[in-house]
């Protein structure tokens, strides 16, 4: 396999209209093209923005930000955006050079070697399956507020009614995304793009409606409500905790590049899609949060820290308009789940064709009828449902695992940006000519991306009771859950790789690129 970080990438500035450049870039990584290129610009943009899913994230986490940081938590939104923008810019250079399925895994492998690549892919795959379960739980936050009819288990007042009902609704959603992904990327893209269009329109309408109901000035977002007083870090400590509400939302933009083998001209389109998805999410999400804080009837209302944005929408806009908005949130949750599942499938496929997963030949098999890997869709769906079942009687443990999954994604990103920085410092990284390039800003942006990734991973993992032991008796293993769980996943996973999988790794014969007899010999 060629494709070391200092290789030319086999890419000129021109792009043949037949897509041969994309297939050549794939061949340089050692793979033959197997997935059908059907996705256009909007499809790849939609994949990135639906994974971030502003309506899902803001409606699910607004309460957490306000309760821990007050209205001033809003400033964590631009803070997280700027940090993630540094990461996204690095990813854009990589997407232009390596437009390949399972982007995080393949990028980490190209930059840091097979061991770093496997660990990055393993962390990302584990986190994706947990994230699939976590997003599915968002149905419970929204559907019963639309109608009590959606509370199938109990009446919602029992100790475990909400948790058990969340598992039921979540299982229905995971089953749906499994079927859609199994039937091919074209169906997935159509549903996802339609859902994203509805989500974007609904989000813009929501911004306008909230703006029309503003009752206070912008100074409201400087209110801290005295949070953090008496603590060693003061309000800064409270703000760092509240910032998790933003950090939990603004990731997943790499999905736009993970569909590179199914996209048209991904070397050009994927970088644009990554940036557009992140910037659009920042602008739309930031305005929704801002106007919600300025329009809510009472900033001190207890419901604001319990029901969050759902309370603001229903109390400000009325039940009829509010319910329409909440139905749009349900659509957003659905396409977000679809995008998360899709990204997980591409990652599993990418690792499997390198023989880096158990039963690799089966997981890497592409259905001749649907032209998509079907088995990974089913396996990931089953694992997600299994993780959901933990939530039935142990919702607190599930919230710990969910938080940890997001840390693992930030760490997986770090396993790309850090080796990339090492390659830059060694003078071994050169962007593809004629494609996205940071130029002279490459090194400072890369340094900032690494520093941001490390700092936010530590902030996410910090053993706070508010995050890891919010209710019930305090347990040390919950408070330190991030370090314990990630340690087990990383050390256990890498031990498996080192003693078992490492000896087998290599592109499976059925997926290896066929040498071109007319290609010039490389020295």
């Amino acid at each position: 396999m060629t494709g070391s970080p200092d290789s030319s990438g086999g890419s000129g500035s021109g792009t043949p209209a037949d897509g041969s450049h994309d297939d050549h870039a794939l061949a340089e990584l050692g793979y033959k093209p197997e997935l059908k290129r059907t996705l256009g610009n909007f499809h790849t943009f939609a994949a990135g923005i639906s994974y971030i899913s502003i309506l899902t994230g803001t409606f699910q986490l607004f309460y957490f930000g306000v309760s821990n940081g007050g209205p001033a938590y809003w400033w964590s939104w631009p803070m997280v955006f700027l940090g993630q923008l540094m990461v996204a810019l690095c990813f854009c250079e990589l997407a232009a050079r390596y437009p390949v399925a399972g982007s995080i895994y393949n990028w980490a492998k190209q930059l840091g070697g097979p061991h770093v690549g496997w660990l990055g892919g393993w962390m990302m795959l584990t986190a994706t399956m947990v994230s699939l379960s976590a997003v599915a739980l968002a149905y419970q936050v929204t559907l019963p507020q639309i109608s009590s009819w959606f509370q199938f288990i109990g009446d919602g007042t029992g100790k475990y009614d909400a948790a058990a009902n969340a598992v039921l609704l979540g299982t229905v959603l995971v089953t749906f995304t499994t079927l859609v992904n199994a039937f091919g990327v074209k169906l997935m893209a159509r549903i996802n793009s339609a859902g994203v269009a509805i989500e974007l329109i609904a989000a813009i309408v929501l911004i306008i409606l909230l703006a029309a109901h503003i009752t206070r000035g912008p100074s409201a977002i400087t209110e801290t409500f005295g949070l953090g007083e008496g603590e060693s870090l003061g309000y800064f400590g409270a703000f760092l905790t509240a910032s998790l509400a933003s950090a939990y939302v603004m990731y997943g933009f790499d999905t736009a590049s993970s569909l590179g083998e199914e996209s048209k001209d991904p070397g050009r389109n994927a970088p644009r899609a990554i940036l557009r998805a992140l910037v659009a999410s920042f602008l739309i999400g930031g305005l929704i949060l801002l106007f919600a804080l300025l329009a809510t009837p009472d900033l001190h209302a207890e419901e604001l820290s319990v029901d969050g944005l759902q309370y603001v929408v229903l109390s400000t806009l009325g039940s009829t308009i509010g319910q329409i908005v909440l139905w749009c949130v349900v659509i957003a949750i659905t396409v977000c789940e679809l995008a998360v599942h899709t990204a997980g499938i591409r990652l599993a496929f990418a690792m499997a064709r390198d023989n880096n997963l158990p039963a690799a030949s089966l997981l890497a098999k592409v259905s001749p009828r649907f032209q998509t890997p079907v088995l990974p869709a089913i396996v990931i769906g089953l694992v997600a449902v299994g993780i959901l079942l933990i939530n039935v009687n142990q919702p607190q443990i599930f919230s710990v695992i969910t938080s940890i999954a997001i840390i693992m994604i930030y760490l997986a990103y770090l396993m790309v940006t850090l080796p990339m920085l090492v390659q830059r410092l060694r003078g071994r990284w050169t962007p593809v000519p004629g494609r996205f390039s940071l130029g002279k800003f490459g090194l400072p942006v890369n340094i900032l991306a690494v520093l941001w990734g490390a700092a936010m991973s530590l902030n996410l993992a910090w053993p706070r009771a508010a995050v890891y032991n919010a209710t019930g008796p305090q347990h040390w293993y919950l408070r330190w859950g991030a370090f314990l769980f990630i340690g087990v996943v990383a050390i256990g996973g890498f031990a498996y790789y080192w003693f078992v999988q490492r000896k087998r790794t290599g592109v499976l014969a059925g997926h290896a690129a066929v040498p071109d007899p007319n290609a010039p010999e490389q020295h």
Side-chain angles (χ1 to χ4, degrees):
M1 182 185 298
T2 59
S4 60
D6 57 340
S7 64
S8 67
S11 307
S13 58
T15 304
D18 62 358
S20 59
H21 164 269
D22 304 323
D23 291 344
H24 180 73
L26 195 61
E28 192 221 350
L29 295 174
Y31 308 120
K32 71 177 183 181
E34 297 176 83
L35 307 175
K36 192 174 181 181
R37 296 191 185 278
T38 58
L39 306 183
N41 287 352
F42 187 77
H43 292 135
T44 50
F45 162 75
I49 204 166
S50 61
Y51 195 121
I52 300 172
S53 192
I54 288 307
L55 288 185
T56 303
T58 54
F59 273 79
Q60 200 172 10
L61 293 159
F62 179 80
Y63 84 94
F64 182 87
V66 172
S67 60
N68 286 282
Y73 110 88
W74 183 87
W75 293 100
S76 68
W77 191 258
M79 179 191 78
V80 170
F81 166 71
L82 290 173
Q84 292 296 73
L85 179 62
M86 299 301 105
V87 177
L89 288 169
C90 292
F91 285 5
C92 286
E93 279 196 340
L94 285 160
R97 185 178 198 125
Y98 303 122
V100 60
S103 49
I104 295 296
Y105 159 71
N106 271 301
W107 295 343
K109 183 180 69 175
Q110 292 300 313
L111 296 165
H115 302 73
V116 174
W118 191 90
L119 189 57
W122 169 244
M123 299 277 272
M124 194 74 182
L125 185 60
T126 307
T128 298
M129 290 187 287
V130 177
S131 296
L132 195 65
S133 304
V135 173
L137 289 178
Y139 262 7
Q140 179 65 25
V141 181
T142 306
L143 283 172
Q145 292 211 38
I146 295 174
S147 171
S148 59
W149 185 84
F150 290 105
Q151 185 65 42
F152 296 104
I153 298 175
D155 58 4
T157 60
K159 185 177 181 181
Y160 296 119
D161 284 2
N165 199 67
V167 172
L168 177 62
L169 295 175
T171 300
V172 172
L173 179 55
V174 172
T175 302
F176 169 75
T177 59
T178 301
L179 290 172
V180 170
N181 274 298
F183 278 104
V185 72
K186 209 164 188 178
L187 176 63
M188 181 282 299
R190 283 174 180 166
I191 295 173
N192 192 52
S193 297
V196 165
I198 293 170
E199 180 178 4
L200 290 175
I201 293 168
I204 292 168
V205 170
L206 177 60
I207 289 168
I208 295 169
L209 291 173
L210 288 173
H213 288 79
I214 287 177
T215 59
R216 59 186 62 84
S219 62
I221 58 172
T222 62
E223 291 283 347
T224 63
F225 291 167
L227 292 163
E229 287 182 5
E231 301 294 327
S232 57
L233 293 176
Y235 181 71
F236 182 63
F239 180 79
L240 288 178
T241 301
S243 71
L244 271 57
S246 300
Y248 282 6
V249 179
M250 236 178 291
Y251 66 92
F253 38 83
D254 58 289
T255 307
S257 58
S258 202
L259 292 169
E261 293 179 40
E262 294 149 282
S263 305
K264 299 171 184 175
D265 196 8
R268 294 187 189 279
N269 292 335
R272 295 171 188 164
I274 289 172
L275 285 181
R276 286 170 182 167
L278 183 60
V279 172
S281 297
F282 162 67
L283 292 174
I284 294 170
L287 289 174
I288 288 174
L289 295 174
L290 174 63
F291 291 142
L293 289 166
L294 301 185
T296 187
D298 181 8
L299 278 176
H300 295 273
E302 185 182 345
E303 294 90 341
L304 204 62
S305 298
V306 177
D307 297 326
L309 268 181
Q310 285 85 340
Y311 159 72
V312 177
V313 168
L314 291 171
S315 62
T316 305
L317 307 181
S319 60
T320 303
I321 295 177
Q323 288 206 348
I324 292 171
V325 171
L326 292 184
W327 273 116
C328 292
V329 173
V330 171
I331 292 172
I333 293 167
T334 305
V335 294
C336 177
E337 184 82 346
L338 197 57
V340 174
H341 204 154
T342 301
I345 293 165
R346 271 62 195 171
L347 181 57
F349 167 75
M351 294 182 73
R353 71 177 167 188
D354 278 352
N355 202 23
N356 268 335
L357 289 176
S361 59
L362 295 175
L363 289 169
K365 187 176 181 181
V366 176
S367 166
R369 181 179 177 185
F370 301 117
Q371 293 186 300
T372 193
V374 174
L375 187 58
I378 297 169
V379 171
I380 291 171
L382 288 173
V383 172
V385 171
I387 296 170
L388 270 176
L389 292 174
I390 298 172
N391 193 63
V392 175
N393 294 323
Q394 298 289 342
Q396 184 165 256
I397 290 178
F398 185 86
S399 69
V400 171
I401 296 174
T402 303
S403 300
I404 291 165
I406 295 165
I407 302 168
M408 289 167 67
I409 291 173
Y410 275 75
L411 288 173
Y413 284 2
L414 198 56
M415 288 183 195
V416 173
T417 55
L418 182 56
M420 188 180 197
L421 177 59
V422 172
Q423 296 297 340
R424 281 188 198 278
L425 293 172
R426 290 177 176 174
R428 295 182 180 177
W429 173 257
T430 50
V432 178
R435 296 295 171 90
F436 185 93
S437 172
L438 292 171
K440 62 183 180 181
F441 297 105
L443 182 59
V445 165
N446 204 159
I447 291 171
L448 288 172
V450 170
L451 292 174
W452 164 257
M456 187 47 78
S457 296
L458 184 60
N459 184 36
L460 287 162
W462 201 257
R464 300 178 177 93
V467 178
Y468 296 105
N469 209 156
T471 60
Q474 297 295 302
H475 297 290
W476 70 270
Y477 53 84
L478 289 177
R479 290 283 290 272
W480 291 90
F483 294 94
L484 292 172
F485 186 88
I486 293 173
V488 169
V489 171
I491 295 170
F494 196 75
Y496 163 78
Y497 170 77
W498 186 262
F499 293 109
V500 179
Q501 210 64 47
R502 177 174 62 102
K503 301 163 187 174
R504 306 172 182 170
T505 191
V507 183
L508 294 171
H511 302 269
V514 178
D516 183 359
N518 299 317
E521 186 177 346
Q522 295 189 8
H523 300 281

